[in-house]
Amino acid sequence: MRAARAHVSLGHVSGGPDSSGEGSGLRVRYPRAGRRGVVHRHQLLQVRGRSVAWVPPLLLLVAIAVVDVNTPGEFRIVSWIVLVPGIAAAICGVWGTAVFAVLALITYVLVDSAWPNRFQAGLSDFVLVAVGGVLATLACAVRVRDERRMLHMRHIADTTRRTVLRPLPPSWGGLDHAAVYLAADTEARVGGDFYDIQPGPHGTRVLLGDVQGKGLGAVEAAAALLGTFREAGFHEPDLVTVARRLETRMVRHRGHTAALGRGDGDRFATAVLLAFPPDAPDAVDLVLFGHEPPLVVGRAGVRSLPAGDGLPLGLGDLTGAPPQVRRVPLAADETLLLVTDGVTEARDDTGCFYPLSDDLARVVVADPRTTDPHRLVAHVRDATLRHCGGHLADDTTVFAVRRHR
């Protein structure tokens, strides 16, 4: 599996009290993360919002002219001025590159004419500078076109991400929540991890899962499961029925992809399905589909919910048994932490896995405020990136929820 450095924007973040739909609430600096743990986008070649991309080629133009004028005639570097439009093509716009191409040509003529005939570079270098300027301008036009195309594709990826992982309002469904999503594919910016909260007349339901595999096929499966969850989670009074509908949807999706002749017809998904029943404020209902059980993080410590024997979504027909729903106690100040493989399988340079439970137990003792969903998610995100050196082997989702107090 290809490892990839975590995306510079730290992925999709939601649930912060001061966050927008893009989740800016947790896109802040955390000193504990370290320089290799959290990567931030820096606006290079800008000062106070103004572009200074023209400065490097201008300085190079002036430097070449000054050095050529102040050195002996046997040392002529005026032809190096062809580098100026080349540098501009890499960092400036098309018109800026064209301007530097003209300036380089004019400067060449002025500097070369200042020398006696026996020291002049001549027509051949003049043609070199002229052709170099034209080629640099054309190369810049291609670069700008590709950048616009890339930005358009990134906009499409962001739209897809917001469609699959819709922004969640604060205290949605009576739950305080926070989430961080980091795609292992830094270019796609979206993967097979999914989560959502669906309030309804039968209580609030929560779903988090991880579709097996990568690429758009995993995104399709995640979107299909989320669509079913949003409908069934609202209408169905029984959590077992919700679980069965998710299983049925995954089987139908597999059948559809197989009928299309695609190679991902055997795809499945691990998931955690939670329900906060309105008649039991001190408990939570849990269904596990081959996923790691959530951790309960509270001031008293960290404990894991019981592991289930349910199979991943799409493989339930191997047993035919109905999903098992377990009701477990949950104190008012306890937070449920749900993570995907990107956290549980994060390795350091020696191959050791990130000790999530032990790390949280230590942090909660040192700072009980870490049980807050936003602080908890931020810590797990930073600790995971720090542990694996910023290289994620899989899509990573950190999701924390607790009843709103």
Side-chain angles (χ1 to χ4, degrees), residues 26-379:
L26 290 178
R27 291 184 188 172
V28 295
R29 295 178 181 270
Y30 287 87
R32 292 173 293 174
R35 295 183 62 183
R36 296 182 61 189
V38 179
V39 184
H40 292 268
R41 179 188 297 270
H42 294 279
Q43 295 297 332
L44 298 177
L45 302 177
Q46 284 193 359
V47 175
R48 296 181 180 179
R50 295 181 178 273
S51 174
V52 293
W54 53 271
V55 174
L58 180 62
L59 292 178
L60 180 62
L61 177 69
V62 173
I64 292 175
V66 170
V67 171
D68 188 84
V69 170
N70 291 277
T71 52
E74 293 79 4
F75 185 75
R76 298 301 311 279
I77 64 169
V78 67
S79 59
W80 293 10
I81 211 166
V82 72
L83 297 175
V84 172
I87 298 296
I91 58 178
C92 297
V94 176
W95 285 108
T97 303
V99 169
F100 275 109
V102 174
L103 286 177
L105 197 60
I106 295 175
T107 304
Y108 172 85
V109 172
L110 294 177
V111 173
D112 197 42
S113 300
W115 287 94
N117 292 335
R118 62 193 181 103
F119 293 132
Q120 288 183 350
L123 180 61
S124 59
D125 284 355
F126 175 85
V127 174
L128 172 66
V129 175
V131 173
V134 173
L135 294 179
T137 304
L138 294 177
C140 182
V142 173
R143 176 185 65 83
V144 171
R145 183 195 62 186
D146 290 343
E147 285 181 352
R148 289 174 178 171
R149 182 179 302 171
M150 179 192 67
L151 291 175
H152 179 65
M153 297 302 296
R154 177 167 293 183
H155 175 71
I156 294 175
D158 288 340
T159 302
T160 303
R161 183 191 65 196
R162 288 193 299 268
T163 302
V164 177
L165 302 178
R166 62 179 181 178
L168 299 176
S171 302
W172 183 236
L175 300 179
D176 291 330
H177 59 87
V180 168
Y181 173 74
L182 303 174
D185 189 342
T186 59
E187 298 300 326
R189 299 162 67 90
V190 66
D193 287 5
F194 58 92
Y195 60 86
D196 200 8
I197 298 175
Q198 181 57 59
H202 311 291
T204 299
R205 276 77 184 264
V206 175
L207 178 67
L208 176 138
D210 181 4
V211 177
Q212 173 261 339
K214 294 284 189 297
L216 292 179
V219 179
E220 284 184 62
L225 291 173
L226 284 174
T228 298
F229 167 72
R230 289 161 186 167
E231 291 301 313
F234 180 86
H235 292 287
E236 300 295 343
D238 189 4
L239 193 62
V240 173
T241 305
V242 178
R244 283 175 171 170
R245 289 189 59 179
L246 288 171
E247 171 67 23
T248 302
R249 185 67 183 92
M250 190 65 202
V251 172
R252 289 175 55 203
H253 180 76
R254 289 173 54 187
H256 179 260
T257 55
L260 291 175
R262 286 166 40 181
D264 56 350
D266 58 347
R267 197 181 297 274
F268 59 87
T270 63
V272 180
L273 178 62
L274 302 174
F276 292 83
D279 58 343
D282 57 348
V284 63
D285 294 333
L286 169 68
V287 181
L288 292 177
F289 299 96
H291 201 89
E292 289 287 334
L295 291 178
V296 179
V297 183
R299 295 177 181 270
V302 179
R303 59 186 173 93
S304 176
L305 294 184
D309 53 2
L311 295 177
L313 292 171
L315 304 179
D317 55 345
L318 296 179
T319 62
Q324 183 180 10
V325 179
R326 300 186 181 186
R327 176 163 291 188
V328 295
L330 186 68
D333 63 341
E334 290 183 321
T335 300
L336 285 170
L337 178 67
L338 301 87
V339 299
T340 57
D341 292 345
V343 176
T344 58
E345 297 181 2
R347 297 172 181 258
D348 60 11
D349 295 337
T350 63
C352 295
F353 291 104
Y354 167 48
L356 175 61
S357 182
D358 294 340
D359 179 53
L360 289 180
R362 175 185 56 82
V363 172
V364 169
V365 171
D367 185 5
R369 296 177 301 171
T370 308
T371 58
D372 176 79
H374 308 99
R375 291 177 177 269
L376 182 61
V377 164
H379 171 78

